[in-house]
Amino acid sequence: MPVASSSRRKSARSRREPSSDRIEEDYPSQHAGNNDDVEGGDDEEEQPRRKVKKEKKARKRAQGDSEADNDPPVVEDDDEDNRIDIENFHDQPLDKKEGTKLSGIAQDWEMIRKQIHQGSFALAKDVATSLADVLEGDNANQALSEVDDIMKTLIDIDHEMQSHEKALSWMHQQLMRGEPVEGAVELYEKEVKKRIDEFSDRTSRKKYGLNDQYVQFKQGIFEVQNPGENIPPINDFIPREEGDESDDEDDLEIGGVTQDFKCPITLTMLVNPLKSSTCGHAFSGDAIREYINKGPPSGKSCPAAGCSQKLTIAMLVADSSLEKRAKLAARRAQRDEDDSDVDDDEVIE
């Protein structure tokens, strides 16, 4: 019987026995496992240590030990060197690349402020003019005083939000000039507080008398209660305080103007008024559109007496607040006229 040659025996044995490389792939060697144990030794040793710390702290809490609750918070990481003690973590200096982020946050403050307060200011004005229309005497004074306090509070909050916005913008400008900002959080809080304190130290005339929203608020009430009369200066509505200019100097202030609720074209009460963005005159919507459409594309002169400003359709904006005030003033004027007729009838009798 023929005997297999040595080369054939070697070939057969190689087919039966898997290679050492394959063994290493499927079943890691003991040596490799030992290496893993060596490399992971710190983790295995650290895990029980952390567990013991947590158990000790839990026992302290269970026993009512207040020291456990006062321990500084620690953020744990798999690497001991990367563990962060939050109590001792300090702000890192900001550089120019963070400037864009600060600008974006400032814009967020501005957007939130406008969304909240534009509607709030408008609501306060509408409530005040409505109360001025339906109430009289002490009832009107008390109700309007409460709305006045609300309006001032809204202005205070609005300025506080502006303080955050301006502080961030100021820091952004610092970074854009290449000046690093150290202690960003502390600096930010300091700038916000400085602006709020400066506003709080102002007199009422300087806080509210220079605020357009408050001026419109007070003028709207006066218009409804005193139709056809000249609107006095805003300082007539705000008592003088120490730090304000003397009343003699206030006499130099330009007084208010009369809000005419009649359309210069129709000479009747404003209907769906449109206001010029250039000269500020208001007109009934249909009347001013017809007037401008009859003119050249470049626009026509303002039909208000003594005004030479050019007007185009694009320059006109709707004014719903003016429309409400016009209606209220018209109703009040009608009531005054009716009361006058009643008094005349009584005298005749």
Side-chain angles (χ1 to χ4, degrees), residues 52-166:
V52 170
K53 287 182 179 179
K54 291 179 181 178
E55 289 176 352
K56 286 182 178 179
K57 198 167 185 179
R59 284 197 296 270
K60 284 184 179 181
R61 286 199 181 96
Q63 296 170 2
D65 191 343
S66 60
E67 293 182 359
D69 295 330
N70 295 329
D71 289 344
V74 174
V75 176
E76 295 190 4
D77 198 305
D78 289 341
D79 187 350
E80 179 72 20
D81 294 335
N82 292 332
R83 297 179 70 195
I84 302 173
D85 186 347
I86 297 177
E87 189 177 72
N88 297 320
F89 183 78
H90 300 289
D91 296 330
Q92 300 300 315
L94 302 181
D95 54 29
K96 195 171 183 178
K97 66 182 181 181
E98 276 85 24
T100 304
K101 298 178 183 178
L102 292 182
S103 178
I105 298 173
Q107 291 174 5
D108 290 342
W109 271 107
E110 180 182 13
M111 179 184 67
I112 295 171
R113 177 175 61 83
K114 289 181 177 179
Q115 286 178 345
I116 293 174
H117 288 283
Q118 282 180 349
S120 301
F121 285 136
L123 179 60
K125 294 176 192 175
D126 290 344
V127 170
T129 52
S130 298
L131 292 173
D133 179 52
V134 300
L135 299 178
E136 294 182 353
D138 292 339
N139 290 335
N141 292 335
Q142 181 179 352
L144 290 173
S145 176
E146 293 175 359
V147 180
D148 188 90
D149 290 339
I150 293 173
M151 189 68 178
K152 289 177 178 177
T153 300
L154 289 173
I155 293 172
D156 293 343
I157 296 173
D158 186 71
H159 185 274
E160 182 175 344
M161 297 183 75
Q162 286 188 52
S163 298
H164 288 273
E165 176 187 332
K166 290 179 180 179

Side-chain angles (χ1 to χ4, degrees), residues 287-322:
I288 190 62
R289 288 191 189 94
E290 182 181 356
Y291 173 81
I292 293 177
N293 288 335
K294 290 180 178 179
S298 58
K300 291 187 68 175
S301 296
C302 175
C307 184
S308 59
Q309 291 283 345
K310 285 285 187 180
L311 284 182
T312 64
I313 294 294
M315 295 177 183
L316 300 174
V317 293
D319 194 332
S320 59
S321 175
L322 176 59

